[in-house]
Amino acid sequence: MENCESLGIELILHEQDRPAPSCPHGPTLLFEKACVGGAKGRRFYACSACRDRKDCNFFQWEDEKVSEARLLAREQENKSKMPTFTHKEYCARLKKFTSLMLHEKMFCVECELLLLPEERLAHSSHRLSEVTSVQLRRPSALLPPLENKKSNAQYLFTDRSAHFLLETLLRLGFTKVLCVGTPRLHELIMLRNFETKEKPMKSLLLDIDIRYAQFYGQREFCHYNMFNHHLFGAKASRDVLQGFLCESEGERLVMVADPPFGGLVKPLANSFSLLSQAWEAQHSNGGSVSEMPMIWIFPYFFEPRIVECLPSLKMLDYQVDYENHPLYKHGKSGRKQSPVRLFTNICPKDLVLPKEEGYRFCSLCQRYVWSLNKHCSKCNVCPSKDGREWKHCSICEKCVKPSWKHCGSCSRCTLPDHPCGSKTDQGCFNCGSLAHKRNSCPQRERTKFGKKGKTGKKMGAVVKANAIRKSGAERKAKKAVPKLQGPAVLLQSLRMPMCWPVMVAVLGAVLGACLPALAPGCDVSRNHICGARVQGDIMIGLMLPSHDSVQNLNRTSPERYQCSK
Ligand SMILES: C[S@@+](CC[C@H](N)C(=O)[O-])C[C@H]1O[C@@H](n2cnc3c(N)ncnc32)[C@H](O)[C@@H]1O
Ligand SMILES: [Zn+2]
Ligand SMILES: [Zn+2]
Ligand SMILES: [Zn+2]
Ligand SMILES: [Zn+2]
Ligand SMILES: [Zn+2]
Ligand SMILES: [Zn+2]
């Protein structure tokens, strides 16, 4: 352990021999310091949902002996963080609330609570607003979006994206939607059921935002953490979810998930895989069972990681945009386009993207693509990922971003102002061997979630290694960063990727934009930790103030967010 040259932190799944300790957000996740060459680092538990110590500071070494007193204190702390009301109580309140006269229906803006008449006095110094029955059906418009940029910033779909999703699901014949972190889609489905005479669509919202429990019944909302697949409502919630996953005659279910963008791919993939397995368990009747249809909404530069974890998912060109995000907009040009895409196991040719918005069908790729995504006859794909028109390099024999140029010294396409001649692209990032690349490293186990193999063990559930050699430039830059010690450094490195939104927000404030921005041209953000490497999901290495200070670390690898400037 002493000799571990740490390369970052990685998440360990399915390897624990005892249950993980819990924080107020349910079972914690187990992480391990990754060392050069795959040596074992010390493992520790940390919160699955919060990336800011201020929100949840849970930390425990895996091998730590925890005193009775600390366990008791932890239990009390977890209890004290429980919601004021149970979902059952919220439902009883909603029943009373709906029977009130219009002028009695009040919402406390400060407490974000639907008030009963007897509670008015206690909130008399708070800002109250009347709630119409229309507003009661549109909680996402009544509740201010959560703004904790590190944990659960709520970016709500524009009408364009929400309606596209709903209409697509209807066209595909789905009758039940499991809405994971998609309150606005859930709301739209419920509104459609109320407003039209069409056959109703069933919808169940799973979200960590307990405020929604005030508006929905127990069969419509479950308090859920998608990073550890934890249902807060215990058995009653499990029964609701189990029942929802069961399709009766003529019913077809689909899951639509829109996790917070800073979230780790691996635990999300694990939760979605577990949901799919629960769905499959309801449908296996001896024959072959297909996977649960799903749409996972996430930025395009996570594609390699998502596909590594869930190989059946394909990325579509559709650009998802958000009402309360000034930069995640559709139809703008260049870097202003939204980087958020749909990843799905539904056959891409069945997902018709709107022609009037500039999408077209590529008969060679058998999928709908964005207008600037031109088919390359040499690669035989429509290659663009970021919405810009890519160009073919006949030396690299692949299509590359428009801003890249082929460099003879480096024998690859890269940015014109790259550190020419650096040998960072050679060899394996896991073990350091020059004989192979990381993908074929014998020391590396793969991340893949799926059905149980013959042995009963989940296929590739344990993901190890992905350890990465550091380049000289990174080592040098790291020296400039002050060293943290112990748990602080572990939590710090664990949270690094999630710090981007905050860093970007600071920049955004300066630029007059207050929300995080991921510019498609630059795969991470305008002010991302440029050049830092990502081990699996975890950003490792160094923190650099901005893009412009590091122009030399744009070499691509599956672990590194590409930055094309
Ligand atoms: C990017 S927003 C997506 C909202 C969606 N675009 C919509 O309009 O319906 C992320 C959603 O995930 C929820 N969320 C954040 N962290 C979560 C967690 N750990 N478990 C479950 N839901 C979470 C948030 O409350 C929010 O509703
Ligand atoms: Zn926590
Ligand atoms: Zn109040
Ligand atoms: Zn094509
Ligand atoms: Zn090409
Ligand atoms: Zn080239
Ligand atoms: Zn070069």
Side-chain angles (χ1 to χ4, degrees):
M1 239 174 272
E2 296 292 292
N3 297 327
C4 168
E5 190 191 343
S6 175
L7 289 169
I9 313 291
E10 69 179 278
L11 172 65
I12 308 295
L13 284 172
H14 313 300
E15 245 191 43
Q16 292 114 295
D17 39 21
R18 57 196 156 109
S22 285
C23 70
H25 307 93
T28 52
L29 296 178
L30 182 61
F31 295 89
E32 185 181 292
K33 252 168 95 175
C35 306
V36 175
K40 273 204 166 207
R42 199 172 176 191
R43 292 180 172 188
F44 64 95
Y45 293 101
C47 177
S48 61
C50 300
R51 296 133 218 176
D52 191 331
R53 291 198 81 172
K54 281 194 247 113
D55 297 326
C56 184
N57 64 357
F58 190 99
F59 182 92
Q60 184 188 314
W61 294 111
E62 189 193 25
D63 53 10
E64 190 177 340
K65 274 248 163 298
V66 184
S67 70
E68 280 298 317
R70 210 172 125 202
L71 284 176
L72 209 67
R74 190 181 280 169
E75 206 174 302
Q76 269 163 4
E77 154 106 359
N78 290 355
K79 270 203 188 124
S80 73
K81 298 266 169 71
M82 274 162 59
T84 325
F85 301 103
T86 63
H87 196 178
K88 206 166 162 198
E89 287 166 341
Y90 274 129
C91 292
R93 293 171 59 86
L94 181 64
K95 205 167 162 204
K96 277 193 199 159
F97 192 89
T98 43
S99 67
L100 296 174
M101 310 282 280
L102 178 62
H103 70 274
E104 291 177 312
K105 287 183 177 147
M106 286 291 179
F107 176 72
C108 176
V109 181
E110 273 145 75
C111 305
E112 298 172 349
L113 185 71
L114 296 173
L115 295 181
L116 296 177
E118 61 272 25
E119 294 165 339
R120 285 274 292 278
L121 197 61
H123 296 258
S124 55
S125 62
H126 295 173
R127 203 149 45 93
L128 306 184
S129 68
E130 265 187 24
V131 184
T132 64
S133 43
V134 175
Q135 283 172 314
L136 208 53
R137 287 198 188 88
R138 295 222 61 192
S140 77
L142 191 62
L143 296 169
L146 296 177
E147 281 186 347
N148 184 336
K149 301 199 176 68
K150 285 194 192 175
S151 294
N152 45 9
Q154 259 170 341
Y155 295 117
L156 299 168
F157 297 132
T158 52
D159 281 349
R160 165 194 170 264
S161 286
H163 283 277
F164 165 77
L165 284 168
L166 176 60
E167 274 147 35
T168 301
L169 300 179
L170 284 166
R171 187 179 319 137
L172 290 167
F174 292 111
T175 58
K176 279 181 139 179
V177 188
L178 185 62
C179 290
V180 183
T182 54
R184 189 150 269 186
L185 178 63
H186 176 69
E187 176 180 294
L188 188 63
I189 295 169
M190 307 302 266
L191 273 172
R192 174 189 170 271
N193 292 344
F194 180 77
E195 286 167 359
T196 71
K197 291 206 166 62
E198 307 286 324
K199 193 167 178 270
M201 208 176 192
K202 290 183 187 164
S203 180
L204 174 65
L205 173 63
L206 305 184
D207 203 289
I208 205 160
D209 185 355
I210 187 66
R211 298 175 306 167
Y212 280 94
Q214 305 177 67
F215 299 88
Y216 297 120
Q218 282 174 291
R219 291 178 181 281
E220 297 162 340
F221 172 80
C222 291
H223 192 203
Y224 175 74
N225 180 351
M226 63 171 110
F227 290 103
N228 58 3
H229 189 53
H230 177 70
L231 280 162
F232 294 87
K235 185 161 181 331
S237 282
R238 280 201 298 277
D239 291 346
V240 168
L241 177 59
Q242 200 70 17
F244 194 80
L245 292 172
C246 185
E247 290 164 347
S248 337
E249 193 65 31
E251 288 188 328
R252 285 186 61 215
L253 178 134
V254 62
M255 180 194 86
V256 181
D258 189 6
F261 306 134
L264 303 179
V265 170
K266 194 166 149 185
L268 290 171
N270 186 48
S271 297
F272 301 157
S273 180
L274 290 170
L275 284 167
S276 180
Q277 282 169 35
W279 174 89
E280 285 163 34
Q282 307 266 1
H283 299 87
S284 56
N285 40 14
S288 64
V289 193
S290 52
E291 229 177 21
M292 175 177 76
M294 61 172 85
I295 298 177
W296 175 350
I297 301 168
F298 227 47
Y300 71 82
F301 39 81
F302 283 99
E303 186 190 21
R305 187 71 182 137
I306 290 179
V307 174
E308 183 183 12
C309 291
L310 296 176
S312 60
L313 299 193
K314 301 254 179 315
M315 187 173 88
L316 307 181
D317 274 19
Y318 185 80
Q319 295 179 12
V320 179
D321 59 357
Y322 297 92
E323 189 179 273
N324 50 339
H325 199 302
L327 289 166
Y328 284 17
K329 292 286 177 237
H330 172 261
K332 298 212 173 165
S333 57
R335 294 178 186 188
K336 295 253 169 65
Q337 298 175 69
S338 167
V340 184
R341 304 284 184 271
L342 310 179
F343 294 84
T344 184
N345 54 3
I346 300 166
C347 184
K349 77 169 175 353
D350 297 334
L351 271 141
V352 182
L353 307 188
K355 197 174 160 193
E356 61 282 8
E357 290 184 5
Y359 298 95
R360 65 179 174 88
F361 186 69
C362 174
S363 54
L364 297 161
C365 295
Q366 286 288 297
R367 68 179 184 105
Y368 288 82
V369 292
W370 176 236
S371 53
L372 293 178
N373 195 0
K374 307 265 166 65
H375 192 88
C376 169
S377 56
K378 298 182 185 104
C379 298
N380 198 26
V381 285
C382 288
S384 174
K385 306 283 183 195
D386 60 10
R388 295 182 294 169
E389 186 174 346
W390 287 23
K391 54 176 193 191
H392 189 83
C393 168
S394 49
I395 310 169
C396 293
E397 294 181 332
K398 63 173 186 184
C399 284
V400 295
K401 295 184 179 187
S403 50
W404 289 14
K405 290 220 163 21
H406 192 87
C407 168
S409 318
C410 298
S411 308
R412 64 189 169 90
C413 276
T414 182
L415 283 168
D417 56 357
H418 66 287
C420 191
S422 84
K423 295 278 181 248
T424 49
D425 209 14
Q426 289 181 0
C428 170
F429 282 88
N430 183 35
C431 71
S433 162
L434 293 175
H436 57 257
K437 293 275 184 200
R438 173 185 159 275
N439 272 347
S440 47
C441 178
Q443 282 187 32
R444 179 174 171 263
E445 289 167 56
R446 293 187 165 269
T447 313
K448 190 160 141 196
F449 305 102
K451 291 170 207 162
K452 288 179 183 176
K454 279 190 192 135
T455 57
K457 237 187 149 185
K458 281 201 204 81
M459 282 172 2
V462 179
V463 189
K464 284 292 324 273
N466 294 9
I468 301 161
R469 250 181 340 153
K470 280 185 212 139
S471 71
E474 279 172 316
R475 272 195 293 267
K476 258 180 252 150
K478 197 178 178 194
K479 277 191 195 147
V481 181
K483 271 199 167 178
L484 293 167
Q485 294 297 331
V489 77
L490 294 172
L491 285 171
Q492 172 78 11
S493 30
L494 186 57
R495 282 161 182 134
M496 270 168 86
M498 291 58 153
C499 292
W500 314 325
V502 172
M503 293 162 61
V504 177
V506 172
L507 183 79
V510 174
L511 296 173
C514 351
L515 288 164
L518 288 168
C522 161
D523 290 350
V524 182
S525 74
R526 278 178 296 161
N527 196 21
H528 65 276
I529 308 165
C530 184
R533 288 171 171 178
V534 176
Q535 179 176 315
D537 295 315
I538 311 288
M539 182 72 79
I540 60 168
L542 60 158
M543 248 174 114
L544 292 160
S546 85
H547 233 147
D548 304 323
S549 58
V550 197
Q551 300 185 343
N552 54 355
L553 290 167
N554 292 306
R555 189 186 53 69
T556 60
S557 89
E559 280 68 51
R560 175 182 290 184
Y561 291 117
Q562 302 165 343
C563 164
S564 66
K565 288 199 88 180

